[in-house]
Amino acid sequence: MTYDETGVDRTIHRLLREHPGDLGDLDQFHIGGADAVDLLIGGLALTEGDTVLDVGSGFGGPARQIARRTGNHVTGLDITPAYVTAARNLTAGSGLDDLVRFQVGDIADFAPDPPFQAAITMHVQMNIDDKTAWFSHIARCLAPGARLAVWEACGSRDLSWPMPWSLDGTDSFVVTADALHDSIEQAGFTTTEWTDETPWVQAWIAKTFADGPPAGPALPMLLHDGYTRVINYATALTDGTLEIWRGTFTRNGSSTGRA
Ligand SMILES: C[S@@+](CC[C@H](N)C(=O)[O-])C[C@H]1O[C@@H](n2cnc3c(N)ncnc32)[C@H](O)[C@@H]1O
């Protein structure tokens, strides 16, 4: 099963002891690192007091990045308890605990009251078969008029395993960009932007790995078979088997609410 690493918190502690203050992109469990989160933030159109939901928040890098950049409150929701523990401890060490919180849960069972004004989800839907249901669950957590930003891998299902989101392909449900876009709209969102970011990602890969793997802490160190997963992924993105799409959407409906 994917996402069953239980020792991530211990590994992070050890890496931070060996490399004080140098987290690198260790807490960004998607292609493009913290730079990719920066590409999403503008689309959230946050104003003071808006609250943000990060669906499938992993080790919490994107949630912390949004709070750091905007000063808005962010809640991360993730189904994997060990990842939530790591995200909480990294947040405590970053001085952002007053803005960022994490909870364990499945988006299908999450019913915040009041709802959020914005959400992001990065690299989670590849594990979800029924994508319209998945994005409907997200819509249910948002006020009408709220924004959603996504950063997603699309393309062929015929991939070399393991990949970052699946060790053997049995829990992978990659679809084309058109199919993903249709699912998001069918779930109750209107498109503001739907952009193929594959060229940006290819340039990011070339720049980031120009001198080989980073010397300091890096995401693959936290994952089972991490380096093979990242190399397979970077190869599929470079040869065009996979693409990265960035989307911003508005939840259908007219009024706005406060979470
Ligand atoms: C590839 S990681 C991406 C993490 C994070 N979004 C990031 O980009 O750094 C996918 C994450 O989705 C979480 N996840 C998978 N299914 C979920 C669900 N139904 N509800 C909440 N989280 C889920 C996994 O536990 C994992 O942390």
Side-chain angles (χ1 to χ4, degrees):
M1 192 191 131
T2 317
Y3 310 131
D4 65 351
E5 297 89 356
T6 50
V8 282
D9 203 41
R10 274 197 311 280
T11 309
I12 291 171
H13 269 97
R14 176 177 56 73
L15 290 168
L16 283 176
R17 257 199 327 274
E18 293 166 2
H19 305 267
D22 176 17
L23 203 56
D25 269 343
L26 174 110
D27 57 347
Q28 305 282 348
F29 197 163
H30 53 261
I31 199 74
D35 295 344
V37 181
D38 284 342
L39 291 182
L40 297 188
I41 289 175
L44 296 176
L46 296 174
T47 58
E48 195 179 342
D50 283 353
T51 55
V52 184
L53 175 65
D54 180 358
V55 186
S57 44
F59 307 122
R64 281 186 294 277
Q65 179 93 346
I66 292 168
R68 201 179 286 119
R69 291 273 192 260
T70 69
N72 289 83
H73 284 263
V74 186
T75 297
L77 180 78
D78 200 286
I79 205 167
T80 306
Y83 291 6
V84 170
T85 300
R88 285 177 178 152
N89 289 339
L90 282 168
T91 303
S94 73
L96 288 164
D97 332 38
D98 54 334
L99 288 179
V100 185
R101 56 189 283 271
F102 295 94
Q103 73 184 74
V104 178
D106 187 329
I107 187 68
D109 307 320
F110 190 53
D113 183 19
F116 292 82
Q117 285 79 48
I120 61 162
T121 184
M122 304 179 79
H123 279 43
V124 185
Q125 61 75 31
M126 294 100 89
N127 288 115
I128 309 295
D129 191 6
D130 187 342
K131 297 185 197 301
T132 302
W134 161 260
F135 284 101
S136 299
H137 296 316
I138 296 177
R140 190 174 32 74
C141 298
L142 297 177
R147 284 80 55 200
L148 168 70
V150 310
W151 181 254
E152 304 301 344
C154 302
S156 172
R157 286 182 180 224
D158 186 15
L159 299 167
S160 296
W161 309 105
M163 282 283 173
W165 63 91
S166 178
L167 293 172
D168 60 8
T170 54
D171 53 354
S172 178
F173 303 95
V174 174
V175 295
T176 64
D178 282 350
L180 178 61
H181 181 244
D182 286 352
S183 297
I184 297 173
E185 291 214 321
Q186 281 162 19
F189 291 95
T190 298
T191 306
T192 309
E193 192 178 356
W194 185 241
T195 303
D196 183 358
E197 294 284 8
T198 313
W200 182 94
V201 165
Q202 290 171 342
W204 184 90
I205 290 170
K207 177 187 72 178
T208 305
F209 300 110
D211 300 323
L219 175 72
M221 297 171 180
L222 301 185
L223 307 177
H224 297 315
D225 216 355
Y227 282 98
T228 312
R229 288 161 78 176
V230 169
I231 289 166
N232 284 345
Y233 190 26
T235 303
L237 288 165
T238 304
D239 70 17
T241 307
L242 287 174
E243 301 165 352
I244 296 295
W245 285 75
R246 175 175 59 84
T248 55
F249 301 85
T250 302
R251 185 207 188 284
N252 295 340
S254 52
S255 64
T256 54
R258 297 270 160 209

